[in-house]
Amino acid sequence: MWNAAVHAEYLHDHSDYGFDVGNVRFSWETLKAKRDAYIGHLNRIYRNNLDKAKIQTIQGHARFTSDPEPTVEVNGKKYTAPHILIATGGQPSVLRDDEVPGASLGITSDGFFELETLPKRSVIVGAGYIAVEMAGILSTLGSKTSLVIRQTTVLRNFDSLISTNCTKELQNSGVDLWKNSQVKSVRKTDKGLEVTIATKDPEKKNEEEKIRTIQEVDCLLWAIGRQPNSAGLNIGEMTVDTDERGHIIVDEFQNTSRAGIYAVGDVCGKALLTPVAIAAGRKLAHRLFEGKKDSKLDYSTIPTVVFSHPPIGTVGLTEEEAIRSRGKENVKIYKTSFTPMYHAITSRKSQCIMKLVCVGKEEKVVGLHMQGLGCDEMLQGFTVAIKMGATKADFDKTIAIHPTSSEEFVTMR
């Protein structure tokens, strides 16, 4: 879906590059059919791989029993083993109608993939990466899109440079941003949904809350966080510890509080990324079945890409985190902002921003943050360097590749 949105962006630039594209139309239906077929193809591949490995697949809902040994029951049949792994993932958080009247009239990111047509009018609620990605995709493909956030910026857990710039890029791209706002109610009308929103600037304490509505909404999408898929597992029977949100508590080796039961992935509530779950599962398998007793995943320096417009790449400590952990006097920041060469002749402009977070006299690079064209593909290589302990001097010794955006990281002064 993001790739389709990128095509839509490039269409705006074709005339600047000398192409007359004429009347171009977009078909959500065609894209959805091809996407769904591809996902079905992937599902078959994964199922075939399980079959080839002679892994028994049991379809159903598992829950732990009260048996002395760790045991799960599926469809009335009990299963036990020396090792039981919980990898049930997470799901989008939802609001109840008694919390926000009419909340159930909206959808989540799961429902986004079921949309049969492109909504003419969309409202996204949330400030995290899913909200940012959904808003970017819908807006770029032609849906008039509003994004409702509780504070003044999106991606507040990211480096402040990224948070501020992404908020600006959303607004520049045409997303209608409702800051310091919350949805108060949702009502269905014969022309679509009516979304009532309350806005209150915390800086203006004497100012009354503003109540406004967005009319004729085709798609209200809640992107307000995720919760673990642990509620139906009956893990209390196994005395497996969880936190207050239901995430399964594990140690550095993915062990739960009950011997023989392990957990990896989003259900643990840490670094909610598919590659993290895969890597943790592999490390656990090496420890349990290959005798590598020290095998565990290093959860530091995990790279993350947000498929915004333009994309974001980030790894390591933010500037704020580095100052808190190392002290301001031990932190050196290098940053730059420029217009990528692609946009040199386009009327549509988008900046590229970059930041290096360095610590100590040796200026070890502990954080790298960027937003701009190609930043999604740049990040992996820089992550290897940072994981190996690269310093600013190592970056400076590296010959630049010109003309690229990535060369800015090795020419910062």
Side-chain angles (χ1 to χ4, degrees):
M1 302 303 288
W2 180 77
N3 284 331
V6 169
H7 275 284
E9 286 184 300
Y10 286 164
L11 284 172
H12 294 293
D13 308 327
H14 281 174
S15 60
D16 291 318
Y17 274 94
F19 292 92
D20 181 5
V21 294
N23 183 28
V24 177
R25 292 187 301 167
F26 167 66
S27 170
W28 178 280
E29 293 78 8
T30 298
L31 176 62
K32 182 180 185 301
K34 287 180 173 289
R35 184 201 68 208
D36 291 350
Y38 179 65
I39 292 172
H41 173 64
L42 289 178
N43 289 337
R44 287 189 294 274
I45 289 174
Y46 287 126
R47 182 56 190 264
N48 288 339
N49 286 342
L50 290 173
D51 292 341
K52 287 176 185 176
K54 294 183 168 43
I55 295 171
Q56 180 187 13
T57 303
I58 303 161
Q59 206 92 27
H61 293 278
R63 55 185 282 115
F64 284 95
T65 68
S66 57
D67 291 85
E69 294 300 314
T71 303
V72 293
E73 184 176 346
V74 186
N75 301 326
K77 187 175 180 180
K78 292 183 178 182
Y79 301 86
T80 187
H83 307 293
I84 296 179
L85 173 63
I86 302 171
T88 49
Q91 60 185 325
S93 299
V94 293
L95 290 172
R96 302 187 309 271
D97 285 340
D98 61 346
E99 294 174 302
V100 172
S104 60
L105 295 170
I107 63 172
T108 65
S109 53
D110 290 347
F112 169 81
F113 291 97
E114 298 172 6
L115 292 173
E116 296 292 339
T117 58
L118 174 67
K120 291 181 180 178
R121 187 70 173 92
S122 301
V123 174
I124 316 296
V125 184
Y129 74 93
I130 293 176
V132 167
E133 291 177 348
M134 293 290 110
I137 290 168
L138 287 167
S139 175
T140 306
L141 290 178
S143 178
K144 185 178 180 183
T145 302
S146 297
L147 180 61
V148 181
I149 62 177
R150 289 183 298 174
Q151 298 185 38
T152 56
T153 57
V154 297
L155 304 178
R156 293 188 301 274
N157 292 331
F158 286 65
D159 188 274
S160 58
L161 181 69
I162 297 296
S163 176
T164 301
N165 193 73
C166 185
T167 303
K168 182 185 75 174
E169 288 286 358
L170 282 166
Q171 291 177 294
N172 290 347
S173 70
V175 173
D176 175 33
L177 198 57
W178 292 58
K179 300 179 180 180
N180 298 313
S181 299
Q182 296 187 63
V183 175
K184 286 296 183 184
S185 66
V186 185
R187 187 171 70 89
K188 192 171 186 176
T189 72
D190 56 357
K191 293 184 178 180
L193 300 179
E194 179 186 271
V195 182
T196 300
I197 299 171
T199 302
K200 178 78 166 71
D201 187 343
E203 300 297 319
K204 301 175 181 177
K205 294 183 178 178
N206 296 327
E207 190 177 274
E208 286 191 10
E209 194 174 62
K210 291 181 182 177
I211 304 295
R212 294 171 291 171
T213 62
I214 302 177
Q215 308 280 346
E216 300 181 25
V217 174
D218 302 302
C219 173
L220 168 64
L221 193 153
W222 301 100
I224 54 174
R226 294 182 66 79
Q227 60 190 34
N229 277 329
S230 60
L233 294 176
N234 196 34
I235 51 180
E237 287 287 355
M238 291 290 102
T239 63
V240 171
D241 292 339
T242 61
D243 66 15
E244 65 280 358
R245 295 189 59 202
H247 294 113
I248 296 173
I249 297 172
V250 295
D251 64 13
E252 59 186 340
F253 292 98
Q254 311 299 148
N255 297 310
T256 70
S257 54
R258 177 67 183 264
I261 300 180
Y262 319 90
V264 299
D266 289 13
V267 75
C268 302
K270 187 176 183 181
L272 311 184
L273 299 164
T274 300
V276 174
I278 292 171
R282 282 178 176 157
K283 292 290 187 181
L284 178 62
H286 293 327
R287 181 169 69 86
L288 296 180
F289 305 113
E290 292 184 355
K292 298 179 180 178
K293 60 183 179 63
D294 295 323
S295 177
K296 62 180 180 179
L297 181 62
D298 178 5
Y299 279 89
S300 67
T301 322
I302 293 173
T304 302
V305 164
V306 179
F307 289 98
S308 50
H309 297 268
I312 291 165
T314 178
V315 62
L317 299 180
T318 66
E319 179 179 348
E320 297 80 7
E321 289 169 340
I323 290 172
R324 280 198 303 270
S325 62
R326 307 295 176 91
K328 190 170 185 177
E329 68 280 5
N330 297 313
V331 176
K332 180 73 181 286
I333 301 299
Y334 296 88
K335 58 185 177 181
T336 187
S337 175
F338 58 93
T339 300
M341 183 168 284
Y342 172 85
H343 286 301
I345 61 172
T346 63
S347 54
R348 181 180 70 93
K349 302 292 184 185
S350 179
Q351 288 287 100
C352 184
I353 59 161
M354 294 176 167
K355 176 188 276 191
L356 285 177
V357 182
C358 305
V359 299
K361 291 180 180 178
E362 75 281 15
E363 292 195 346
K364 181 180 179 181
V365 181
V366 295
L368 181 149
H369 313 278
M370 55 183 163
Q371 181 173 19
L373 280 178
C375 286
D376 50 328
E377 292 290 352
M378 281 184 226
L379 183 62
Q380 193 77 72
F382 284 115
T383 300
V384 174
I386 293 171
K387 198 78 174 171
M388 294 176 71
T391 64
K392 179 64 169 61
D394 292 322
F395 274 58
D396 294 342
K397 290 176 199 169
T398 304
I399 301 298
I401 304 170
H402 184 74
T404 65
S405 293
S406 59
E407 70 179 301
E408 294 289 331
F409 273 125
V410 300
T411 57
M412 282 184 183
R413 294 291 181 265

